[in-house]
Amino acid sequence: KVCPPFDRAKILPMKMPDLIEVHRCTGKADVVRILRTEFVSGRWDLPESNSARIVLKPNFNSDMIGLTGNTTDLRLVVGLIEVLHERGFRNLVIADGTSSGFIDHEIDVLERLRVREIGRRYGLDVVNLNEDAYVERTTHRGSTVRIARTVIENDFLINLPKLKTHGEARLSAGLKNLVGCVVGLDKQTIH
């Protein structure tokens, strides 16, 4: 179910691929090469206007680097930024809200992972969704949660999850990454 007033076309603006592709990448150069090929292929829709506000939503739920298997690899994030810049997109935002343990201990995961440095280098906003302005929404089970405005008020959202297992769901794939769009400790409400 999609909670109103979301427009399903805005939530899923891309063509869904008929298959899953796996590419071996040993560095950022491989990421850039593959992303260039993918965007040229026509299988992926990007906004028509280069001025569109695009939110990159990686999984930075903890302060462990991507090589641990827990967070999105920064080479993917940087590679995507560079390819989007090549295509004329400059209004980019990196946004995530870390998991509750880091909120409780006031640990700035975006600083520790050097995401804020990437933002400065490429002239992008970096938003901690746990501290973002929010819109309240009611889930299909009646709980009220706060969803970050940065995620709601954009032209395009690119989900950059980490393929993961989960203790309760067994496999969360990329869906659980969107839990990071929920502000602060509200994540526990919808978990």
Side-chain angles (χ1 to χ4, degrees):
K1 287 186 171 180
V2 177
C3 301
F6 290 114
D7 177 358
R8 186 170 175 78
K10 183 171 173 144
I11 295 171
L12 299 172
M14 67 176 150
K15 300 172 196 163
M16 298 306 287
D18 294 331
L19 55 100
I20 295 172
E21 293 184 31
V22 177
H23 300 275
R24 181 175 180 83
C25 297
T26 58
K28 189 187 78 163
D30 289 339
V31 170
V32 168
R33 178 182 48 77
I34 290 164
L35 287 172
R36 282 180 183 143
T37 302
E38 284 299 313
F39 286 136
V40 169
S41 74
R43 290 185 292 228
W44 303 97
D45 289 335
L46 287 173
E48 290 180 23
S49 171
N50 284 28
S51 64
R53 182 172 170 86
I54 300 175
V55 175
L56 309 180
K57 171 56 183 83
N59 187 329
F60 296 139
N61 70 318
S62 79
D63 63 349
M64 293 186 277
I65 64 169
L67 297 176
T68 65
N70 197 45
T71 58
T72 302
D73 194 309
L74 292 175
R75 294 172 293 187
L76 174 62
V77 176
V78 170
L80 179 59
I81 291 167
E82 290 181 3
V83 171
L84 289 171
H85 277 182
E86 287 173 5
R87 299 180 72 78
F89 295 101
R90 299 281 178 188
N91 192 5
L92 307 177
V93 178
I94 302 172
D96 194 20
T98 61
S99 58
S100 56
F102 293 93
I103 299 168
D104 291 341
H105 292 93
E106 299 179 5
I107 296 171
D108 187 346
V109 170
L110 298 172
E111 185 65 37
R112 278 195 178 180
L113 291 176
R114 299 176 34 202
V115 176
R116 294 188 191 287
E117 182 181 322
I118 291 168
R120 286 187 294 273
R121 183 183 317 151
Y122 290 94
L124 310 178
D125 289 333
V126 175
V127 177
N128 180 344
L129 297 178
N130 290 322
E131 299 171 355
D132 200 24
Y134 59 85
V135 175
E136 288 188 344
R137 293 287 190 255
T138 304
T139 69
H140 69 282
R141 293 195 176 171
S143 300
T144 300
V145 294
R146 298 170 298 157
I147 301 174
R149 272 197 190 279
T150 296
V151 174
I152 299 285
E153 296 174 356
N154 69 74
D155 297 309
F156 202 79
L157 175 69
I158 299 178
N159 188 14
L160 299 167
K162 194 68 178 186
L163 185 62
K164 291 185 178 182
T165 58
H166 187 270
E168 296 171 27
R170 302 216 193 263
L171 178 68
S172 65
L175 182 61
K176 191 168 177 298
N177 189 42
L178 297 178
V179 172
C181 300
V182 175
V183 173
L185 299 178
D186 286 12
K187 291 173 183 58
Q188 295 170 346
T189 303
I190 66 161
H191 200 265

